[in-house]
Amino acid sequence: MKKLKGCLYSTSESNTKLPDLGPNLIMSEILPRLPAKCVGRAKKVCKEWLSCISSKEFVMMHCRHMCKGSRQKILSIGQESCFISSTGVDLVDEKTMITLPFHVRPSDVWILSSLNGLLCVCLRNTFEMLIWNPLIRSCINISDSKSYGFFKIYSDAVGLYIDSSNDYRVLHIKHGRFTVDVMAYSRRTSHWKRIPFLQKRHYHTNGYVWSGGDFL
């Protein structure tokens, strides 16, 4: 398994010969445990691997293994307090209280989206959007004077994603009266940019209501 990982991680040619583990063992026990980037590289090995990795069954296996790590954390937000706890049966009672980096009650924080430990949240009193990392207590206000980065409940939707240059971005769909305005915020440049998205007119009607679940 270490040799296989080394092969997938490495970008240079190597003469290392892999042991004959058999295709079933590799597909069911090794590949689902690798990080996402290594799985992406593994798609280029052969058509058989590409077909297996692209299947729904493999995606489910990979998700289950990624969620088993001890580094996974749970954020609990109550009326007056906020806690971080580790996953796992033995660690469920170990909680750490954290102080919010913004001056509002915990109950006035809406979580709009999450990705790799980053949260996109909205403050109930101002509707400002922020990128927040609870583990390192880091927070960035992404709203600006041009009215970008303000969340409107029941009509807007927000999602976090990583683009092809490994830049974390916030996708904000603003659904107005017969209009859909879509903005993308770059964490690298700290700027908003309007992007073309869902240009068909029937998406602009009130018959479509977006939610965070759309980005799953």
Side-chain angles (χ1 to χ4, degrees):
M1 182 172 175
K2 290 183 179 179
K3 291 184 179 181
L4 178 62
K5 278 190 175 183
C7 178
L8 293 174
Y9 273 111
S10 176
T11 56
S12 60
E13 293 185 0
S14 173
N15 294 324
T16 302
K17 293 184 178 180
L18 295 179
D20 187 10
L21 301 177
N24 292 334
L25 180 62
I26 293 175
M27 297 298 179
S28 62
E29 298 296 333
I30 297 179
L31 291 182
R33 289 177 165 81
L34 298 182
K37 286 189 176 181
C38 293
V39 173
R41 295 190 184 117
K43 286 184 175 182
K44 302 178 182 179
V45 172
C46 62
K47 291 183 178 180
E48 183 182 359
W49 283 32
L50 173 62
S51 176
C52 173
I53 293 172
S54 302
S55 67
K56 293 182 179 179
E57 292 77 11
F58 180 87
V59 172
M60 294 300 295
M61 283 194 298
H62 189 263
C63 287
R64 283 196 296 269
H65 285 296
M66 292 299 101
C67 291
K68 289 180 181 179
S70 59
R71 296 175 60 189
Q72 299 290 324
K73 305 292 182 182
I74 298 176
L75 176 68
S76 304
I77 299 180
Q79 291 292 326
E80 301 293 340
S81 58
C82 187
F83 294 91
I84 290 180
S85 57
S86 299
T87 59
V89 177
D90 298 331
L91 303 174
V92 71
D93 293 328
E94 295 185 9
K95 295 182 179 180
T96 303
M97 180 180 290
I98 63 173
T99 303
L100 297 180
F102 18 84
H103 301 292
V104 297
R105 294 171 51 187
S107 57
D108 290 330
V109 177
W110 292 328
I111 297 178
L112 305 178
S113 183
S114 65
L115 178 66
N116 295 343
L118 285 183
L119 302 177
C120 183
V121 301
C122 171
L123 306 184
R124 188 192 299 265
N125 57 339
T126 62
F127 302 103
E128 295 172 292
M129 291 166 51
L130 306 97
I131 298 177
W132 176 32
N133 188 330
L135 294 178
I136 62 174
R137 316 296 196 266
S138 174
C139 181
I140 302 173
N141 191 324
I142 61 175
S143 58
D144 62 17
S145 58
K146 297 181 180 180
S147 75
Y148 298 150
F150 291 88
F151 183 79
K152 188 175 180 181
I153 192 172
Y154 302 127
S155 62
D156 291 4
V158 170
L160 280 167
Y161 69 99
I162 303 176
D163 68 9
S164 57
S165 64
N166 287 328
D167 181 18
Y168 280 83
R169 290 179 176 265
V170 178
L171 183 68
H172 184 193
I173 297 181
K174 303 176 68 174
H175 194 181
R177 184 176 176 82
F178 303 111
T179 61
V180 173
D181 196 15
V182 183
M183 307 294 298
Y185 176 85
S186 167
R187 190 184 180 203
R188 181 174 298 158
T189 65
S190 301
H191 287 96
W192 286 94
K193 180 181 179 180
R194 181 176 281 104
I195 60 174
F197 185 68
L198 298 178
Q199 298 298 309
K200 295 182 179 180
R201 294 293 300 175
H202 61 267
Y203 288 119
H204 299 186
T205 66
N206 293 330
Y208 286 86
V209 180
W210 305 100
S211 72
D214 294 329
F215 295 101
L216 295 177

